[in-house]
Amino acid sequence: MANTSPNRPAKRGRPGYDLETVLGVAVKLFNERGYDSTSMEDLSRKLGITKSAIYHHVPSKQELLRLAVNRGLDGLFTEVDKLDEVEGRTIDKLEYLVRASVGVLVDQLPFVTLLLRVRGNTKVERDALARRREFDQIVSELVSKAVADGDLRPDVDPATAARLLFGMVNSLVEWYRPRGGIGADALADTIVAVAFDGLRVRGED
């Protein structure tokens, strides 16, 4: 995943209270309390700074949400942009995207957790859901192409298979804890083994 992004906030402002720090604390509170239930007053108390100091970095709570959900989405679409460089057949590109998505989730766990909890109550959330649907469509098209190539089972609906694949990946936010646990590569190996061993067409023994 690239380290830079047009939506990735640059570090600036008072030492210890740059935008990245404010965003990190905001995401933690949004995940713990829910976005709607978290106020800028809650955030200022958690940071130990005034609300005006927060507004030095962002104009609103909604902007913090936009920056946060785009962090995860930008990571996913960065990996989509690399698919043309992946050698092999469509199934290899699909496997790459599954593995890379696990890496994005592990690297940006709080941001992806928040992304997966948005429900469309605000324009920012609706925009995020639209980008998620776009990503889901890309995955579904990869599955369809892999079926047409004869590499995935034709009796499995591509859209359903895509949802199940990334449902497995997304479920990591509910239980995965990076400290002292399994690493991203081992997680990806397990998910690929479980998913693709069931979906892949095999030659006769």
Side-chain angles (χ1 to χ4, degrees):
M1 178 181 173
N3 290 325
T4 59
S5 161
N7 288 298
R8 191 180 184 91
K11 291 191 173 184
R12 58 184 174 84
R14 301 177 183 178
Y17 299 120
D18 56 29
L19 179 53
E20 189 70 13
T21 300
V22 172
L23 183 61
V25 173
V27 169
K28 186 174 187 295
L29 285 178
F30 293 163
N31 282 331
E32 289 176 351
R33 302 183 180 187
Y35 171 74
D36 292 333
S37 299
T38 302
S39 68
M40 293 295 267
E41 182 67 32
D42 294 329
L43 182 55
S44 71
R45 284 199 300 268
K46 188 72 172 179
L47 286 163
I49 60 177
T50 63
K51 285 193 288 185
S52 63
I54 299 174
Y55 289 126
H56 170 76
H57 299 293
V58 290
S60 65
K61 184 176 77 163
Q62 192 162 176
E63 177 63 8
L64 285 169
L65 180 65
R66 187 189 72 81
L67 290 169
V69 296
N70 280 346
R71 180 73 63 86
L73 286 163
D74 290 345
L76 292 174
F77 279 95
T78 293
E79 300 303 337
V80 168
D81 290 341
K82 296 177 183 177
L83 288 176
D84 288 341
E85 303 169 14
V86 177
E87 296 182 356
R89 297 164 68 86
T90 302
I91 193 171
D92 300 307
K93 297 178 186 293
L94 179 61
E95 182 175 327
Y96 169 84
L97 190 55
V98 170
R99 289 182 178 278
S101 297
V102 173
V104 170
L105 186 147
V106 170
D107 186 49
Q108 306 288 352
L109 185 59
F111 298 93
V112 176
T113 300
L114 181 62
L115 170 64
L116 294 176
R117 291 177 179 173
V118 300
R119 292 293 179 265
N121 295 328
T122 66
K123 183 180 185 304
V124 168
E125 292 177 271
R126 290 189 291 273
D127 289 345
L129 290 174
R131 291 186 74 190
R132 280 184 59 187
R133 287 192 293 271
E134 181 184 353
F135 181 81
D136 292 343
Q137 182 60 33
I138 290 167
V139 176
S140 182
E141 289 171 0
L142 287 173
V143 173
S144 295
K145 181 64 165 57
V147 170
D149 290 345
D151 291 321
L152 291 183
R153 293 170 48 164
D155 59 329
V156 177
D157 174 64
T160 301
R163 290 190 185 97
L164 290 172
L165 273 173
F166 278 84
M168 199 183 315
V169 173
N170 294 341
S171 72
L172 296 176
V173 303
E174 302 300 332
W175 59 267
Y176 176 71
R177 298 296 177 267
R179 293 182 181 177
I182 186 172
D185 290 343
L187 275 174
D189 286 343
T190 300
I191 288 174
V192 166
V194 170
F196 285 86
D197 281 356
L199 287 171
R200 195 185 300 266
V201 170
R202 300 189 177 280
E204 295 184 11
D205 295 334

